[in-house]
Amino acid sequence: MKKSLVILFAATLGLAACNTEKKGPGGLLYKIHKSGGKEKIAEGDIVKLNFIQKNEKDSILGSTYDNEQAQVFPVGKKQYAGDMQDVLTLFGEGDSATFKINLDTMAAQTKQPKPEQFKNDKYIVFTVKVEKVFKKGPKEADSTFQKRASDFFQADFKADMDKKKNAEAGKIKAYVEDNNLKVQTSASGLQYVIEKPGDAARAVEGDTVNVNYTGKFTKKGDNKKYKVFDTSDEKVAKEAKVHQPGRPYGPTKMVVGGTVPGFTEALKLVGKGGKITAIIPSKLGYGEQGGGPIAPYSPLVFEIEIVDIIKPKAGSAPAPAVPVAPAAAHSANDGHNH
């Protein structure tokens, strides 16, 4: 066999070995896609991870990539062989891997039933990228280590926030160009396209509007589509895999002035029957804090249809003022506080 073919054959075997799923303790399965060649994670280290969490049907249950915010946490003592703390010790800084935590083992060891969403699954699946492993020095005092780690991750967080802030205008510009939108821009910085103006009468502060809406990020997900994070449309929710069983879908009532500023402004720009696409910069949305699935400095896109405008009844007390901070409380579970 020629030398070049031998080298190619050996390289192919090596690649196959890297792609082979390995067995670990407690029914754990794992596969290292790329090794950074660094020292393995140990109990007491502080790690920064990006990850995607899925069930066995490949439905994404959570992703740090969606809100562009890696998680930082200390590695604790394992509770049993093959648990989350244990599996991390298989990896080092720079590694990317997929691992499957055995849910039957977890239930048996913790004496807790499987979570409802996993009752028919054997595994919960994680694909991780180890961004940073912060290790304690051999003779370093705990207080010194904690201070050093705190200083490092605070500086790292600030650099990350500065990067997000500086990238926001580019994300909006790219979204507008990619979708060939002819936007108007208000004095506040809201960009919008009125798809249908609706009736002449407009909603004002204190009115209640009944709306259909879909909220998206300005970046595409793994499926090359813009990621939906919230919607009143059940069909869209199911297609985007953000469906919440038990949640009432359909037209949703909101008080004008009780939402983040950009959404409130958009509600006032069309009448009953009107449709508008609003591109909301973070200063008019969830700002530098973010909220729920929304990362800091995230521009958002809302497609809004006003089904009805309901005026306060004569003589009734005006709706109480709702403080509309950019970081207004929001989670993927409320769907009503934009």
Side-chain angles (χ1 to χ4, degrees):
M1 188 180 289
K2 291 183 179 180
K3 184 177 179 181
S4 59
L5 290 177
V6 172
I7 292 171
L8 179 61
F9 182 63
T12 304
L13 283 178
L15 182 62
C18 289
N19 288 328
T20 301
E21 200 168 54
K22 298 179 180 179
K23 294 182 179 180
L28 172 73
L29 299 174
Y30 69 98
K31 182 192 299 181
I32 297 177
H33 305 296
K34 180 182 177 182
S35 174
K38 301 287 186 68
E39 184 181 350
K40 300 301 183 187
I41 296 168
E43 180 186 336
D45 291 345
I46 299 175
V47 297
K48 178 181 178 181
L49 293 181
N50 270 305
F51 66 85
I52 299 171
Q53 179 187 12
K54 298 182 178 181
N55 61 18
E56 285 188 272
K57 301 176 185 66
D58 210 36
S59 296
I60 295 177
L61 306 174
S63 172
T64 59
Y65 296 100
D66 282 349
N67 59 13
E68 301 176 81
Q69 190 65 58
Q71 285 198 1
V72 176
F73 57 91
V75 179
K77 185 179 182 64
K78 70 179 182 183
Q79 291 183 310
Y80 62 88
D83 73 357
M84 183 65 75
Q85 309 298 331
D86 192 24
V87 69
L88 288 176
T89 63
L90 297 169
F91 315 127
E93 185 176 314
D95 288 3
S96 58
T98 295
F99 60 88
K100 300 176 181 178
I101 298 286
N102 190 298
L103 292 167
D104 294 325
T105 301
M106 180 188 293
Q109 293 289 340
T110 62
K111 295 180 173 52
Q112 296 291 330
K114 288 183 185 180
E116 183 64 25
Q117 68 266 41
F118 297 114
K119 66 179 182 180
N120 297 319
D121 292 336
K122 186 174 182 179
Y123 298 101
I124 181 170
V125 184
F126 290 87
T127 298
V128 300
K129 171 72 185 299
V130 184
E131 305 288 355
K132 178 67 180 177
V133 179
F134 202 84
K135 288 185 168 290
K136 183 179 176 183
K139 296 182 180 179
E140 187 175 20
D142 287 346
S143 58
T144 305
F145 172 65
Q146 292 299 331
K147 174 67 166 58
R148 190 165 60 87
S150 176
D151 290 346
F152 174 86
F153 284 110
Q154 282 183 17
D156 183 66
F157 180 77
K158 183 180 184 305
D160 190 42
M161 290 301 103
D162 288 343
K163 183 178 178 181
K164 286 183 173 65
K165 184 178 181 180
N166 294 333
E168 184 174 355
K171 289 179 180 178
I172 293 174
K173 183 173 183 289
Y175 183 88
V176 170
E177 291 177 352
D178 191 40
N179 290 277
N180 196 28
L181 299 178
K182 291 179 171 53
V183 298
Q184 299 181 66
T185 304
S186 72
S188 70
L190 178 73
Q191 295 187 38
Y192 61 93
V193 178
I194 295 177
E195 315 287 350
K196 186 178 177 183
D199 292 349
R202 300 288 187 262
V204 297
E205 298 279 330
D207 287 350
T208 297
V209 289
N210 214 13
V211 300
N212 290 314
Y213 70 91
T214 294
K216 305 176 183 178
F217 295 116
T218 55
K219 67 183 185 70
K220 293 180 179 178
D222 294 336
N223 60 0
K224 307 303 180 185
K225 294 182 180 180
Y226 291 99
K227 172 78 175 175
V228 171
F229 62 86
D230 190 19
T231 180
S232 62
D233 188 319
E234 187 168 16
K235 181 180 177 182
V236 172
K238 287 180 177 178
E239 289 174 351
K241 298 182 180 178
V242 294
H243 182 259
Q244 300 159 39
R247 169 187 164 171
Y249 284 92
T252 303
K253 289 183 178 179
M254 301 180 185
V255 177
V256 179
T259 64
V260 293
F263 199 94
T264 291
E265 186 176 348
L267 291 174
K268 298 177 181 178
L269 292 173
V270 293
K272 178 180 177 179
K275 295 181 179 181
I276 185 171
T277 296
I279 304 170
I280 303 176
S282 66
K283 68 178 181 178
L284 301 177
Y286 294 86
E288 63 183 30
Q289 299 297 322
I294 299 167
Y297 297 111
S298 287
L300 305 173
V301 179
F302 277 99
E303 297 167 354
I304 305 167
E305 176 188 17
I306 297 187
V307 177
D308 198 9
I309 299 173
I310 305 162
K311 298 290 182 182
K313 291 181 180 179
S316 64
V322 178
V324 187
H330 171 87
S331 76
N333 296 321
D334 64 21
H336 305 282
N337 193 27
H338 304 291

